Amino acid sequence: MTDVPAGAAAEPQISFSLRIFNTVLLLFILWMFAGFAAPGVDLSAFETSTGHAPLDMAAAASISALALKFNPATTALIIYETMRLLLPGMRDWDAEKPQTNRRNSLGLVVLAILFALFQGWGLAGALEDFSTDRPLVPEPGSAFKASFALTQAGGTALLIACADTITRNGIGSGWWVMIAAMSLASLPAVALALADRFSQGLIDPLYVVALLAIAAAGGDAAFMLFNKGLEA
């Protein structure tokens, strides 16, 4: 039996079924957010110009509030870890005090949101410059770029919150679960595209075999990470 320090409240135990429910619910919320185009972008024009079918989730996700996916958070984490390597004093910060660890985590969140604003502004400019028969952005300008950047910042904050909640109250590591879920969600469209090209003789059979081998290895790695998360 694990001893609980005096004055410390024991963490409530969450059943496995509730953890599954929490994980599925949060992934469903993210899927819903990814299904709506960000304000100011004409989804039908994007689908027509890129060849996506109407109401294609992949088309909406690429211009939704989650268009940046994990890029801002990953960029912030890379910078933080690089600073820890270059500045020896930072390596002991996490071990000093719990409040220092929380401060660093908050700093990473803020840095990720700042990157989301910057990257969202750049993506908004790219959408405005995208050449099509119909403009993707009916009303371009600074107002659209600002609103799109804020939308991406909100989407990044939602991703971070969902990842943290899944890690604490769901199954496995939140980041890995969401990355795996996004990859799995895109598999049907990828499989259909490969099947179409294969039927037309545009893809070498050895290429398909190699892809299946990579997919099998990735599935095995994901299963091992999943079990590791359950044991944590």
Side-chain angles (χ1 to χ4, degrees):
M1 183 174 180
T2 304
D3 295 332
V4 178
E11 294 185 0
Q13 296 295 322
I14 302 176
S15 65
F16 184 71
S17 59
L18 183 56
R19 287 183 177 275
I20 293 178
F21 174 79
N22 291 339
T23 302
V24 172
L25 177 62
L26 290 171
L27 291 177
F28 177 75
I29 291 174
L30 291 176
W31 179 78
M32 290 295 295
F33 268 87
F36 296 96
V41 183
D42 187 349
L43 177 58
S44 60
F46 184 80
E47 291 171 340
T48 302
S49 63
T50 56
H52 286 85
L55 302 180
D56 190 343
M57 288 293 294
S62 58
I63 53 175
S64 69
L66 305 180
L68 296 177
K69 297 183 175 64
F70 304 99
N71 291 335
T74 302
T75 304
L77 186 59
I78 290 174
I79 290 178
Y80 174 73
E81 293 298 335
T82 302
M83 291 179 63
R84 290 187 64 185
L85 289 174
L86 298 177
L87 302 175
M90 290 185 61
R91 300 173 190 172
D92 300 326
W93 282 6
D94 293 342
E96 287 180 359
K97 307 175 184 178
Q99 55 266 35
T100 303
N101 195 4
R102 288 193 296 268
R103 183 191 63 190
N104 294 343
S105 298
L106 179 60
L108 277 173
V109 172
V110 172
L111 186 60
I113 291 176
L114 291 176
F115 276 118
L117 289 170
F118 177 76
Q119 295 173 7
W121 186 279
L123 180 57
L127 290 174
E128 289 181 343
D129 296 336
F130 197 81
S131 178
T132 59
D133 295 334
R134 294 169 53 190
L136 297 185
V137 182
E139 298 180 6
S142 299
F144 165 72
K145 290 180 179 178
S147 65
F148 190 86
L150 288 172
T151 301
Q152 296 307 311
T156 296
L158 177 64
L159 279 177
I160 294 174
C162 287
D164 182 65
T165 304
I166 291 175
T167 300
R168 291 185 291 106
N169 301 320
I171 299 175
S173 169
W175 286 113
W176 287 111
V177 168
M178 291 194 300
I179 291 174
M182 289 184 176
S183 299
L184 290 174
S186 64
L187 283 182
V190 173
L192 289 175
L194 286 176
D196 181 61
R197 289 178 175 271
F198 182 75
S199 64
Q200 298 177 22
L202 301 176
I203 295 181
D204 191 319
L206 292 178
Y207 178 74
V208 177
V209 173
L211 283 179
L212 291 175
I214 294 173
D220 184 61
F223 182 75
M224 293 177 61
L225 288 171
F226 178 79
N227 286 335
K228 185 177 180 180
L230 290 181
E231 295 171 358

